[in-house]
Structure formats: C-alpha cells, structure tokens
Amino acid sequence: MSEEQKSRHDAAESAIDELYAEAAHYHVNTGEETIHAKRVGGRWRNIKWWTASVWLVFFLGPYLRWGDRQAVLFDIPNRQFHIFGITILPQDFWMLSLVLLFFAILLAVATALAGRVYCGFFCFQTIWTDVYTWIEEKLEGNPQKRRKLEKAPWNFTKIRIKAIKHFLWIIIGALTGVSFAAWFVDAFELWGGILTLSLVGVPLIVVLLFTAGTYGLAGFLREQTCLWLCPYARIQGVMVDTTTAVPTYDFYRGEPRGRVKKGETQEESGKGDCVDCNQCVAVCPTGVDIRHGQQEGCIMCALCIDACDTVMEKLDRPIGLIRYESLDQLEGKETRAMYKRPRVWVYGAILTLALSGIAFGLSTLDAVALKVLHDRLPLFVTQSNGSIQNKYTLKVLNKTTENLEVKISASGLEGIILVGADEPVKATKGKVAPRVVFARVPRENLKAESQPIMFHIETKDGAGQVFTSQRESFFAGPKPRR
C-alpha cells in the first residue's frame, strides 16, 4: 500500500470512527423520544429544497390581484370561486369533482412509479417539519448538542434558546394560518382585521386552528404524524409493486456489512461495501433503517442516499449503495416498459377523461347562464284569437362581478311572440334572477304537438363586452289540423 493510499485509508478510518460514535444514538423510534435527524448536503437535499419552494404559491398566491379583486378567491359565503377571469358558482361545482379525481389519480400514478415521492418531497407536513428542524438546528446545534440541551438543567441560556425557537415556530404557524384563510377571505381585508384587532368569526377561528395545528404537528409530533396519523402510509403498500422505483439498499453489494479492521483490505475481510455506520438511519426524519427493506415509516425522501454516497466517497468506494431502484432491477430481472404496465394505461385513461371534462367545462363556462322551466299545468292554453300560448320560467344566472341588464328573445317557431320579455331582466351579480314569460304562436304555424324552441339572452358589462347564452326547450300545442 502506497503512502498516499495509507493516508487516505487512515483518514477514512478516522471518519468512520466518528460515524460509529454518532450511530450509537439512533434506533427505531415509536414516539418515546424526539428524533433529531442529522443534516447532510447532497443532490437529493437540494431537490427537496426546490420542491419545497412550490409552497411559496400557498403563501404568495392570495396577494395577486385581478382587476379590482383578488385573482384567486374561494368566496364561500357568497358561493363564488374566482380564478383569475373565471367565476365558478355552485352550478359548476361538478368540475371540482373532476379536479379532485385528477389529483387523486395523479397521486396514485406517482406512488406506482416512485413510491411515496409526494410524502418525501411535496407533503406540507414533511416540508414544514423540515423548516422547523432547520430552525432548531440553527439555534441549538447538531443532534448531539440538541440532545445534550434537552437533558441540561433549565438556566437562562436554555430558556433564551428555547423561547426564540418556539417564538419562530409560532410565527411560521401564524403565517400558515393567515395564508390559508387568505384564499377564502380577501387577503388585504384579512390583514386589516388582524392589524386592527377586529378579526372575528370563522376567519379568526381558522387562523388560530392552523397556527396551533402547524405548531403542534411540525414542531412536536413530526414523524409520528407520518407514522400514526397519515392514512396514506397505510394504503401505499397496495399501490406499489416490484417495478416501482424506491430508495433501495443494494444488499447484494452491501452484505455482509461490517467495518474493515485497520490494516486489512476489504477483499481480505470478505465484507461488503456497507460499513454499518448507520448514517442512513441518522439522517432519516422518521428514524427507519432502509437496510431492512421497505417500511411504512419510510417517506422516500432519499436523504439516506445522500448520506450513504457521502460515506462511500470518503472510503473511495462507488456511490449508489442506496439508490432509487425497483426490486426487479435490483434482482436483475427484466423490467417492463411503462407502456406494458396495465395500471399505467388505466391511470392514464382516467387522467385524460378528468382533464377532458375540466377543459370542456371551462370552455363552455358562460358569464351569464340561462335555465328554462316549462310550466306543466297546463302544457298550453288556446287564446281567443286561436294562437297557442306556453308559460315558461326563465332563470338568469349572473356569474360576473357586476349587476347586468339582460335582454330575452326566442326563436325556432314562425310568428313567435314573447310576452313579459319587453323589459330587461335585472340580474344581480352572483345571483339568479327569475322571469316568467309567455310564448305565443299562431296555431297554423305548428307542425307537431311538441316542437323545439330556443331562448336567447344577451347583455353587456360596463366595459362594453357582450355576453350571450341560449337554452333549448319545447313548445307544446294541440294536434295539427289536417
């Protein structure tokens, strides 16, 4: 062995000694103590920060404006959902079901392909806990120092550090509560109520509940939320198979695990690449040992991959002892292409149908909508001049943000006359305005006992934009004369 190799080997031995000292503190935790996960840098840690930044939309989204209102506002009291230039009322809530279906199937697709990748990289509980523990590490130090501080007697230093930490935790929880409420109440009005101490009712309750919930779940329960409260951990087992790529320990390469004695080569020891340093456990936010195979506590955040790669680099061994890989690939089996997996086709078909339904709904979403109800008793009335009259109740739904005057007309029958449609319908914003009209048609113009009739509405907003809508109904009459 050359001097350079010997020096590098000694340095690696020293590093492994430190890792073994740390490993003594880690074991599977079922809630009896707080897990203080070690933080290591690496590719997957960087990816986690980038995916966590998606939640900036949650905090900043309510402050986007669209004209004179909030760009995205779920106004439940007034039963209106404003999404930029689109206003969705309860009559269009069927699209919400398709949106929920789309995201549910998307979660199933992600799980089938890469396991609980949502939990590891996008889940709010995971990300908020990560931020809370990051603050804890900045104030209290590494895991060893945090454990030491927990056991230390209460003094001014400990009180000061703990007070600052919990204050920052509560601030983040409060911002979370305010941000959630701001999607349902105008953000500027919400802040006005908070700053003037005049916020009451449901918004105040929501803010307080989310503040307490975030503080408790991310600050104290942490991984126990994933282990015992989250239903996804219970059902993920039926959503993955041997072709699903998940963080996997290569036991063929790693076993038999163990430390190589000083002065002994790896070949001489007969040991695998795993030196049993337990760093994969030390960095795990839920405290599981990936070397024991897949477990319900594993949120597949891939931090164990970064930890293991760091150790392998120190030992001059190939990285990837722990890596994203399916069981079939690990065992050398031929893996099926994506298009050969039946569940991919099923999931894809459902996603396509859901997206098609949402696209259709948005494309046919009118600013003003019309519903026509034909009076059934009687179906028609014969007038003194021989014309046939039908009675209808027209319901005009105004989905815009301003009051409108809507004109009504009808077509489809020769000589049709509308009675009661001379004056425009005054349609209040977000409301349904009913109007009773009578349609009269000369009897000789009727070709059948029931014929289609089309009702039209037309209006203009303050900017001069024209909105129209139409709805087909039927016109009833006696049998035609021969």
Side-chain angles (χ1 to χ4, degrees), residues 435-453:
R435 172 66 65 88
V436 176
V437 298
F438 298 90
R440 295 175 182 173
V441 178
R443 181 169 182 175
E444 58 270 17
N445 293 344
L446 296 178
K447 309 300 182 184
E449 294 182 65
S450 178
Q451 292 183 242
I453 180 174

Side-chain angles (χ1 to χ4, degrees), residues 36 132-140 146 165 222:
H36 293 293
Y132 272 43
T133 53
W134 178 80
I135 292 173
E136 186 175 67
E137 183 178 58
K138 293 299 180 184
L139 293 172
E140 299 182 1
R146 297 205 293 274
K165 180 184 76 171
R222 298 184 183 180

Side-chain angles (χ1 to χ4, degrees), residues 26-74:
Y26 297 101
H27 62 280
V28 177
N29 179 34
T30 56
E32 70 276 3
E33 65 176 340
T34 301
I35 288 181
H36 293 293
K38 181 180 178 181
R39 285 179 178 267
V40 295
R43 180 178 62 168
W44 293 103
R45 164 54 69 182
N46 293 333
I47 291 174
K48 274 181 67 67
W49 284 121
W50 279 108
T51 54
S53 65
V54 171
W55 282 94
L56 289 174
V57 175
F58 171 76
F59 288 100
L60 302 178
Y63 302 99
L64 295 176
R65 309 301 293 181
W66 186 269
D68 60 346
R69 61 171 172 81
Q70 192 167 303
V72 181
L73 179 63
F74 304 115

Side-chain angles (χ1 to χ4, degrees), residues 40 46 56 108 128 139 157 168 189 282 290 321 334 378 381 403 407 416 423:
V40 295
N46 293 333
L56 289 174
W128 264 246
L139 293 172
T157 301
L168 293 176
E189 293 181 7
I290 191 65
L321 179 59
E334 182 180 358
V381 173
N403 299 331
K407 297 179 181 178
I416 187 171
E423 296 293 327

Side-chain angles (χ1 to χ4, degrees), residues 347-387:
Y347 290 152
I350 298 175
L351 287 175
T352 302
L353 289 174
L355 279 178
S356 300
I358 295 169
F360 172 78
L362 292 176
S363 65
T364 58
L365 201 61
D366 295 324
V368 288
L370 175 64
K371 186 175 182 180
V372 180
L373 301 177
H374 190 287
D375 197 351
R376 300 286 178 172
L377 295 174
L379 282 176
F380 65 90
V381 173
T382 303
Q383 300 293 104
S384 58
N385 62 358
S387 62

Side-chain angles (χ1 to χ4, degrees), residues 131-208:
V131 172
Y132 272 43
T133 53
W134 178 80
I135 292 173
E136 186 175 67
E137 183 178 58
K138 293 299 180 184
L139 293 172
E140 299 182 1
N142 60 36
Q144 292 85 353
K145 292 181 179 179
R146 297 205 293 274
R147 282 189 290 269
K148 184 178 179 180
L149 184 65
E150 281 184 353
K151 298 176 182 178
W154 287 95
N155 54 34
F156 176 76
T157 301
K158 182 174 181 177
I159 293 174
R160 176 178 60 81
I161 293 174
K162 294 289 186 180
I164 294 174
K165 180 184 76 171
H166 287 278
F167 174 75
L168 293 176
W169 282 3
I170 292 173
I171 290 297
I172 293 175
L175 288 175
T176 302
V178 171
S179 298
F180 181 83
W183 291 93
F184 301 90
V185 180
D186 186 89
F188 296 117
E189 293 181 7
L190 180 66
W191 276 110
I194 293 172
L195 296 176
T196 59
L197 301 180
S198 60
L199 187 67
V200 295
V202 175
L204 177 61
I205 295 174
V206 169
V207 171
L208 293 177

